[in-house]
Amino acid sequence: MEYCFGVDIGGTTVKIGLFSRKKGLLEKWEIPTRKGTEPTPLLKDIKYEIEECLNRNDLKKEHLAGIGMAAPGPVTEDGCLRGTVNIGWGDVFLGNEAEDLISVSPIFIGNDARVAALGEYTFGAGKEVNSLLMVTLGTGVGGGVILNGKILAGVSGTAGEIGHMTMNPYEEEQCNCGKKGCLEQYASAQGMVRVARKVLVNTDKPSVLREMDVLTAKKLWDAGKIGDALALELTEYISRMLGMAIANACYIVDPEMVVLGGGVSQAGEFLLDMVQRAYAENVFPHCRDKKFALAKLRNDAGIFGAAALVFQSVN
Ligand SMILES: [Zn+2]
């Protein structure tokens, strides 16, 4: 029972890691995500990969404490993965189906952003704290709350879904979720570019952003770092949205630490400082001095969190 697999099912790839309780991550790799209306074909791919890995490491299923899985959809406390839009599945008890098909038990399942938060909590930026809120700035904006080592899932599996917190009730464009004015529309990689494009057509101010063939969130933050005035205005605006949303979330959970992760967080301390400042300006004085940190595990937070799901539940 010294080993487990952490599996992170994404819209395009599935990341898999073999973990040892004592030595941590031993080996990791990824395969393409097979999409479809039900999970069986993808679970068969995962089963094959896991069995191959056990063979090449001279291990048997009896050596496994279990398997942890992260998936891109809300997961309820009783383990129902609800409607993974990016892959095509409806509601499914993925852990139960995977246990039957892979013949390993137990198999735990969690929402990808929440599981990544557990990964940072257990192995990354949050190792020293008892509770954290993680905000993942990527294609979308994900979120996860960890309280005393446990994922806060909620009855509908959506606890921590900060990306769809309404930040602007007057927004006219629609979010991917169908609502209008969600944080994600301003603070995801796509949302940042959307905001920048809008501002660029409505002002004559000079900016290096105008000379770019393809504007990306990374280029926007890079332009802010070199002091481009318009890029700075934009990054301040985006940070204010993020800082306010985090402040709102902190009124409910008041965690010890806020962790910023996801591809956009590679803008580093520059982004972290701006968001933390916006948070402090928009929060109740009693919780102003909160720890803020950048995620440490990058793209591996999901597999680490999935492994933590297993090791924290099975001795
Ligand atoms: Zn939304």
Side-chain angles (χ1 to χ4, degrees), residues 164 175 177 182:
H164 300 283
C175 175
C177 75
C182 296

Side-chain angles (χ1 to χ4, degrees), residues 221 224 232-233 235-247 258 260 268-284 287-293:
W221 285 89
L232 268 176
E233 265 178 49
T235 51
E236 292 275 3
Y237 173 80
I238 292 160
S239 300
R240 195 154 66 240
M241 285 286 193
L242 274 166
M244 290 167 81
I246 292 167
V258 175
L260 300 182
E269 298 291 335
F270 178 70
L271 172 139
L272 186 72
D273 289 348
M274 242 185 216
V275 175
Q276 187 167 9
R277 210 175 332 119
Y279 165 82
E281 284 167 9
N282 287 286
V283 82
F284 201 54
C287 52
R288 197 167 282 158
D289 296 323
K290 199 163 290 295
K291 290 180 193 133
F292 271 65

Side-chain angles (χ1 to χ4, degrees), residues 245-271:
I246 292 167
N248 290 345
C250 286
Y251 291 131
I252 313 295
V253 291
D254 195 13
E256 221 176 306
M257 176 182 267
V258 175
V259 178
L260 300 182
V264 180
S265 74
Q266 285 171 27
E269 298 291 335
F270 178 70
L271 172 139

Side-chain angles (χ1 to χ4, degrees), residues 116 120 124-125 134-135 258-262 265 272 293-298 301:
E120 287 292 339
M134 178 159 159
V135 182
V258 175
V259 178
L260 300 182
S265 74
L272 186 72
L294 293 165
K296 286 192 175 155
L297 302 173
R298 298 213 169 176

Side-chain angles (χ1 to χ4, degrees), residues 128-190:
E128 310 297 325
V129 298
N130 288 315
S131 57
L132 65 78
L133 163 70
M134 178 159 159
V135 182
T136 309
L137 307 171
T139 315
V141 174
V145 176
I146 308 297
L147 295 175
N148 299 318
K150 293 286 174 207
I151 290 175
L152 180 69
V155 285
S156 57
T158 54
E161 207 57 79
I162 195 171
H164 300 283
M165 188 178 277
T166 303
M167 300 308 295
N168 175 9
Y170 307 106
E171 173 64 56
E172 286 170 359
E173 287 178 37
Q174 211 169 37
C175 175
N176 290 328
C177 75
K179 293 200 309 113
K180 290 175 180 172
C182 296
L183 176 65
E184 187 164 296
Q185 288 181 275
Y186 309 91
S188 67
Q190 283 178 1

